[in-house]
Amino acid sequence: MLNNKVAIITGASRGIGFACAERFIQEGAKVVLSDVNDDVGEAAAKSLRDNGGEATYQHCDVSSKQEIQALFDDSVALHGRVDIAVANAGIVHAADILDLEEEDFDRVININLKGVFLTGQIAAKQMIKQPPDEDGFRGSIINMSSVNGVLAIPAITPYVIAKGGVNQWTKCLGIRMANEGVRVNGIGPGSINTEMFQKVADNPQKMQEVMSRTPMQRPGEPDEVAKIAVFLASHYSSYITGQTVYPDGGRMGLNYVVPVAE
């Protein structure tokens, strides 16, 4: 489905980002993983190569325009083009709104919103320079959002604000690039079994609270998100742009809590 496509994924050393890399390679893509956790990122890329995939790793702090530009420039120098860009890097900071420090707010916004903006802008500029493929497409940009781009949790306000901004950025860039052969879409996961979710999974009370608002009564798996990324990166989603898809186990549509088995 993605045969010989070149994909850049930020925040790819683990979790959803790494699952996207694995799934893209299974579909025939060449993958450039980026992260700030270099030891884990290098090991992730090596594991993909050891299994027969074409994967490289590059350090990239997505709050830095210079580092994102270098990531794309080096990827183009290596592979000749970039067909898929997944803006996945993100962090969470929890604090009461009234106690939230300015520097913590800025740190989350710089990575989760500014980083997605810069990644998309640089990706779009690169993609419109490229010749289209046989179907007239130059590329696909995928932004990792969250159900919290729509739903609100005051304890993680900077994260919620950033993800809401990501949804609007996805629409804006999708509309701008609609006639350029570049599609832009988002994925807004609910509760997914990642390292970020582990603190919830390890707390029975918190886990019950989360499952009570999840009709499918289980957290999702990173690969379930990655499969959506494959769809959005491929020609199977050829008439979709500016949209955010929510793999959330039914959470977005729920207006009450459901009983959870003990």
Side-chain angles (χ1 to χ4, degrees):
M1 192 182 295
L2 302 177
N3 196 39
N4 291 320
K5 299 294 185 184
V6 178
I8 291 176
I9 306 170
T10 67
S13 66
R14 55 166 64 99
I16 290 172
F18 182 68
C20 288
E22 285 187 302
R23 183 59 65 172
F24 284 0
I25 282 177
Q26 289 173 20
E27 297 294 339
K30 305 169 186 177
V31 176
V32 179
L33 294 79
S34 72
D35 210 300
V36 294
N37 192 336
D38 294 338
D39 289 343
V40 179
E42 292 280 10
K46 183 179 183 300
S47 72
L48 296 173
R49 291 194 299 272
D50 289 345
N51 287 316
E54 189 167 344
T56 57
Y57 172 79
Q58 183 164 330
H59 177 95
C60 181
D61 176 356
V62 297
S63 66
S64 165
K65 183 175 183 177
Q66 290 73 23
E67 292 196 18
I68 299 172
Q69 188 67 63
L71 172 64
F72 277 81
D73 289 346
D74 291 349
S75 299
V76 172
L78 179 63
H79 294 295
R81 60 185 290 130
V82 175
D83 302 289
I84 304 159
V86 182
N88 172 72
I91 61 171
V92 174
H93 178 81
D96 185 274
I97 290 175
L98 302 184
D99 299 322
L100 179 64
E101 298 290 344
E102 181 180 359
E103 57 266 31
D104 292 322
F105 179 88
D106 288 346
R107 182 166 50 90
V108 174
I109 295 298
N110 282 340
I111 294 170
N112 292 20
L113 181 54
K114 178 184 172 185
V116 173
F117 161 71
L118 290 172
T119 300
Q121 185 185 61
I122 290 169
K125 287 180 178 180
Q126 170 58 36
M127 289 172 179
I128 60 175
K129 295 189 295 186
Q130 301 172 168
D133 63 18
E134 63 275 8
D135 296 306
F137 292 102
R138 289 185 168 86
S140 175
I141 299 169
I142 301 168
N143 299 322
M144 202 58 64
S145 182
S146 166
V147 293
N148 295 123
V150 179
L151 307 175
I153 299 179
I156 54 171
T157 289
Y159 182 87
V160 171
I161 291 172
K163 295 303 185 180
V166 166
N167 288 354
Q168 291 297 86
W169 167 238
T170 297
K171 293 176 185 177
C172 289
L173 189 60
I175 292 167
R176 169 62 180 84
M177 302 305 293
N179 289 320
E180 302 278 6
V182 177
R183 294 180 300 103
V184 185
N185 291 290
I187 304 176
S191 300
I192 307 297
N193 259 330
T194 64
E195 188 177 80
M196 190 179 291
F197 185 70
Q198 197 58 49
K199 289 181 180 179
V200 173
D202 289 342
N203 184 321
Q205 181 180 347
K206 287 288 185 184
M207 189 65 171
Q208 186 170 45
E209 289 175 3
V210 171
M211 291 301 99
S212 74
R213 57 182 190 249
T214 306
M216 290 185 73
Q217 294 287 282
R218 66 171 179 86
E221 296 299 328
D223 186 60
E224 293 180 290
V225 180
K227 289 173 183 175
I228 297 172
V230 169
F231 168 71
L232 293 176
S234 76
H235 294 328
Y236 282 110
S237 59
S238 58
Y239 199 52
I240 300 175
T241 199
Q243 303 298 311
T244 299
V245 180
Y246 294 96
D248 66 353
R251 179 176 172 184
M252 290 278 288
L254 186 65
N255 195 34
Y256 53 88
V257 296
V258 296
V260 179
E262 295 291 341

